[in-house]
Amino acid sequence: MASVADSQQNSVDSKFKYIYDQTALSCDSFPVVDFSALSAADPDQRSKAIHVLCKACEEWGFFILVNHGVPEELMNATFSAVKEFMSLGEDEKQQYAPKDFSDPLQYVGIDTKDCAMQTFTFWKEKLRFEVHPKFHCVHKPQSLRVCLFTAWEIWLENYTIQITQSKN
């Protein structure tokens, strides 16, 4: 059975050099923020959660959010849909290239047409979208739009319930 690293290595264009670093930090070391604690009625619990959130943003720039209420099946469907988007042709993805930093929907990647003679040891593709105050999403694949909109509705409903309960 092939590992994830093997399957990723086989799918990497030959002009990119893939390095599997076994010394990289494991997922267990990423900061974890408990959403339910952020909206808890207990001010001490909320304060601690806010401290964890601030520290994660300052030291890492990202975090893992837990207890947000989005079902695992929906998260898995979203990951599959994002993978499907990233598998689209470069021309389709580049239609979402930002014209301005403030664009609410952005795809950033390496345009392989301009790098035929280069070798890369690190690259990234990024899909960024805003969902508030207005929902923005790519048109293909349709499944990504459905997943993200459904997740946003669930999160917003849970957040509204938690805020309402914490005020009572």
Side-chain angles (χ1 to χ4, degrees), residues 28 34 136:
D28 294 337
D34 183 350
H136 298 273

Side-chain angles (χ1 to χ4, degrees), residues 76-89 92-93 95-96 105 107 127 129 135-149:
N76 290 337
T78 302
F79 283 121
S80 293
V82 168
K83 188 174 182 179
E84 189 178 341
F85 173 82
M86 292 300 180
S87 296
L88 293 173
E92 284 188 274
K93 293 186 287 188
Q95 69 179 321
Y96 300 105
L105 180 58
Y107 165 77
L127 178 60
F129 45 87
F135 182 82
H136 298 273
C137 190
V138 296
H139 298 290
K140 284 184 177 178
Q142 182 63 27
S143 58
L144 180 57
R145 187 176 200 81
V146 170
C147 288
L148 293 175
F149 190 75

Side-chain angles (χ1 to χ4, degrees), residues 31-168:
V32 176
V33 175
D34 183 350
F35 180 76
S36 64
L38 286 170
S39 55
D42 178 13
D44 289 333
Q45 188 179 9
R46 263 197 330 268
S47 179
K48 287 177 187 173
I50 290 169
H51 176 74
V52 169
L53 175 62
C54 290
K55 188 174 177 184
C57 291
E58 289 171 357
E59 294 178 6
W60 286 80
F62 63 92
F63 51 87
I64 297 170
L65 185 66
V66 298
N67 296 326
H68 45 65
V70 177
E72 188 171 348
E73 306 82 49
L74 181 55
M75 290 189 299
N76 290 337
T78 302
F79 283 121
S80 293
V82 168
K83 188 174 182 179
E84 189 178 341
F85 173 82
M86 292 300 180
S87 296
L88 293 173
E90 197 63 31
D91 290 340
E92 284 188 274
K93 293 186 287 188
Q94 284 299 329
Q95 69 179 321
Y96 300 105
K99 293 155 194 62
D100 183 274
F101 180 74
S102 63
D103 285 354
L105 180 58
Q106 300 179 11
Y107 165 77
V108 178
I110 295 174
D111 187 352
T112 56
K113 293 177 207 161
D114 297 332
C115 57
M117 301 305 290
Q118 298 176 15
T119 300
F120 297 88
T121 55
F122 178 77
W123 76 95
K124 71 175 182 176
E125 287 184 286
K126 174 181 85 167
L127 178 60
R128 177 185 167 275
F129 45 87
E130 294 178 6
V131 295
H132 184 75
K134 184 178 176 190
F135 182 82
H136 298 273
C137 190
V138 296
H139 298 290
K140 284 184 177 178
Q142 182 63 27
S143 58
L144 180 57
R145 187 176 200 81
V146 170
C147 288
L148 293 175
F149 190 75
T150 304
W152 170 243
E153 286 182 318
I154 290 170
W155 183 85
L156 188 59
E157 181 180 332
N158 289 339
Y159 178 74
T160 303
I161 290 168
Q162 288 180 359
I163 294 299
T164 304
Q165 289 173 348
S166 69
K167 289 183 178 181
N168 293 337

